[in-house]
Amino acid sequence: MTVRLGLGIDNGGTFTDAVIVDLDTKKIISKAKSPTTYDDLSVGILGAVDGALSGCDVDRSLIKLVGISTTLATNSILQGKGGHVGLIGIGWRPDPEWDLGASKMRFIKGGCDSVGRVLQSIDESELDDAIEEVTKEVDAVVVSGMFSVCNGHQEIRVRDAVRKKAGLPVLMGQSFTSELGIYERTVTAVLNGKLLPIINDFFDGIESSMRAREITGRIFVFKGDGGMMSISHAREVPIEMVLSGPAASLMGGKVLSGLDECWVIDMGGTSTDIACLDGGFPRLNMEGAMVGNWRTRVKGIDIWTCGLGGDSIIRLDKDRGLVVGPEKVMPLAIASVRYPGFKAKLEASKDLEHYTPVKADISRLTEKERTVYDFVKGHAPCSWFDMIMGLEGKAMVTSTLLESMRLRGLLMRTGLTPTDALHFLGKFRSGDVEASRVGMSLMSERMSEDAETLAKMILKLMVTRVGEELLKKALVDSGSKLDGGGAFHKLLRGATGHESVGGYNIKMSPGRPIVGIGAPAKEFILPLRERIDGDVVVPEGHDVGNALGAVCSEVSEMFSAQVYARDDKYLVFSPMSSPSQYSRLEEAISSARAYTSSVVRDRIAKQDVEDVRIRVDVIEKKFPDGFGREMKFVNWVDVRALALARPRLR
């Protein structure tokens, strides 16, 4: 039997991982890590790829599949990067407070009502003027019509006119969702348009780099819903890459553990992600992913993310108790390697927090900010006191100014972290152990504890915090609001086995196994099994679980239709089609099932796949009454088709 290999790449917040795996046995053959390089992601990606390739002796022609999970789409949106997009709205006008993200906008007559009836025809002269106005100096155009998911013909008409007149990429709101919500639908399409030039440049580099390394396997890109898409499809809908990193860790946990029903907890240097597998499928957030302040209609996994990782800052609260996170800092052990002489500065100043520059766009800095940034760059790592003394008479360096520059990604602080605790206890080595010892000594003096006890307290607190975050997600999933009171935190601590509550043992029972993924999983997730009523598994290969998930998942396509009752009839609404009418609910649902199945089958076939399976879910939607109880009658029916398939390997 011919060996078929896969190359998985996960571009994470702290490190970029690469793994070479046997696609049939899922055995990891080689793996490597490289620091993520935010100014040019390809540097970190190729560093990890080259590390994995050099770690084994394989015929590169056997690498039949390359899977990529990247933060590029998410980070580009958060940082406001991307191309310029023109928007033509049909039959609606935005609320004054709406930020739709488009560079140029024009709103014309037209639109439909909620049952797909055309309210007003498009004025051809007005359309020509709109096209002329919004197509100048843009990279793409979005067309978004009122109730276009109920009748999409006007969007299609405008799309064809823009293509004919301007020759630009044109995106329709109905192409991204079948759900109502003109704001969310429009924002999703606009953000997709803004991503097109960035993603295409990135993929061009990836494809040329793979060819240069004699890797000719097909390239697939991970999506936020836990599936993959071909690189050609990803070039058209890069918005679906949002939240692909957490989704890859979830599927990596499934592959490594062999479990279809489990919680997956992925801890990295910056954050911890918690998600759930039901029957081998990730739970999805059907409301659409939030990216910064943007509410989109992108279907992503239902995930809980918190600022808890190996590089989270350790500090003292007002009662001199230990607190971890949420800020990410540079561990002392790492700072000492990156900046020779830092350990001596740490010992002399007795200040754990020093500032270092971060590569960023500094073109928009104020004169004072530029002065501070240049000083830090020339004297890194430097303390606040160093800046005050060094810039006396030139700039007043306030804590408010430094915090603003840190939050905008211009500066990063050093600090004591769980990574330093692991270095001190001999459980991990990637930096200067002596710098970690100095930091532990300084913090232990403030707590009147010895350094070793402090390090063990930090590890215990990290395990507790993981359990607390799992409980918080369960509470939010049940519809509860998180109360920040002391009794609430006491119960959380008790449930995670950190301490008893008035002599009572109230440890939690998660109801399904917990799978730990990420480099620190053995130290900060696995010990939970001694504290709770349930199994905790940290499988071999957990440190590259995300990269494994990126190449070991399946291609997926999802499409939905809705059935509504209107005047003793049942109407089926779906994008790219006109409403269809039926006299019986069963007939309408049957039609919707057939149509959605046909759409996902056709779409997934275009990505050159095999072993196609289709699942159709019928979900009845019932509004609650005034007392929160579910009413008996059905308001509408969602019919969702999901197609899964394996990439065809050549």
Side-chain angles (χ1 to χ4, degrees), residues 361-378:
D361 180 8
I362 59 175
S363 60
R364 298 182 181 180
L365 296 186
T366 65
E367 183 178 349
K368 180 188 288 188
E369 289 171 338
R370 184 61 181 263
T371 299
V372 172
Y373 184 86
D374 289 342
F375 182 87
V376 173
K377 187 175 181 180

Side-chain angles (χ1 to χ4, degrees), residues 300-574:
I301 62 171
D302 178 19
I303 193 162
W304 178 269
T305 299
C306 59
L308 180 69
D311 297 347
S312 295
I313 190 170
I314 300 292
R315 53 189 175 84
L316 301 180
D317 62 17
K318 59 182 178 62
D319 298 319
R320 306 186 74 78
L322 282 178
V323 178
V324 57
E327 179 190 346
K328 174 187 175 177
V329 295
M330 185 182 297
L332 303 177
I334 305 303
S336 185
V337 171
R338 192 167 298 179
Y339 298 100
F342 172 63
K343 184 178 66 175
K345 184 180 290 189
L346 192 63
E347 291 175 313
S349 68
K350 299 187 182 303
D351 188 350
L352 296 171
E353 296 180 4
H354 288 63
Y355 289 84
T356 64
V358 178
K359 287 185 178 180
D361 180 8
I362 59 175
S363 60
R364 298 182 181 180
L365 296 186
T366 65
E367 183 178 349
K368 180 188 288 188
E369 289 171 338
R370 184 61 181 263
T371 299
V372 172
Y373 184 86
D374 289 342
F375 182 87
V376 173
K377 187 175 181 180
H379 300 81
C382 61
S383 67
W384 183 16
F385 181 76
D386 293 334
M387 285 181 264
I388 291 174
M389 298 302 294
L391 293 174
E392 187 176 7
K394 298 178 182 178
M396 180 176 291
V397 186
T398 65
S399 60
T400 302
L401 173 66
L402 292 178
E403 183 65 2
S404 172
M405 294 180 70
R406 183 189 71 80
L407 291 174
R408 287 153 55 203
L410 297 164
L411 301 177
M412 174 180 276
R413 286 193 286 201
T414 65
L416 190 67
T417 66
T419 296
D420 289 303
L422 293 176
H423 275 76
F424 179 89
L425 294 171
K427 295 177 177 290
F428 182 65
R429 178 68 64 87
S430 68
D432 183 356
V433 175
E434 291 305 313
S436 296
R437 292 185 188 279
V438 172
M440 284 293 166
S441 177
L442 292 174
M443 180 69 81
S444 63
E445 289 175 6
R446 300 173 191 176
M447 293 184 65
S448 300
E449 294 280 1
D450 65 86
E452 183 172 353
T453 299
L454 171 61
K456 291 179 179 178
M457 289 172 63
I458 292 172
L459 265 60
K460 180 181 179 182
L461 177 60
M462 286 293 289
V463 177
T464 299
R465 290 284 290 107
V466 170
E468 288 178 346
E469 294 301 328
L470 181 59
L471 274 173
K472 288 179 183 178
K473 173 163 177 54
L475 287 169
V476 170
D477 286 350
S478 67
S480 302
K481 292 185 178 180
L482 299 181
D483 179 1
F488 173 73
H489 288 293
K490 190 76 172 177
L491 286 171
L492 283 182
R493 289 288 166 99
T496 57
H498 187 88
E499 58 192 25
S500 64
V501 180
Y504 286 90
N505 183 351
I506 58 170
K507 63 182 180 181
M508 66 177 180
S509 176
R512 61 184 67 204
I514 295 171
V515 177
I517 296 294
K522 279 192 174 180
E523 304 300 336
F524 300 142
I525 300 175
L526 187 61
L528 266 179
R529 69 181 177 186
E530 307 300 328
R531 299 195 190 182
I532 65 174
D533 184 12
D535 193 17
V536 181
V537 179
V538 176
E540 185 178 354
H542 63 89
D543 55 330
V544 289
N546 299 50
L548 186 69
V551 75
C552 289
S553 189
E554 294 186 292
V555 182
S556 67
E557 277 288 349
M558 184 182 293
F559 188 77
S560 300
Q562 284 76 39
V563 179
Y564 287 90
R566 291 288 189 275
D567 301 325
D568 297 325
K569 300 291 183 181
Y570 296 94
L571 298 177
V572 177
F573 298 108
S574 60

Side-chain angles (χ1 to χ4, degrees), residues 151-184:
N151 185 340
H153 287 294
Q154 288 189 339
E155 275 192 359
I156 295 172
R157 163 76 185 88
V158 174
R159 177 201 65 184
D160 293 344
V162 175
R163 283 179 175 173
K164 182 177 180 180
K165 193 166 186 177
L168 289 168
V170 186
L171 310 166
M172 298 186 297
Q174 63 179 307
S175 299
F176 295 90
T177 180
S178 63
E179 297 179 23
L180 300 177
I182 189 67
Y183 168 80
E184 294 85 355

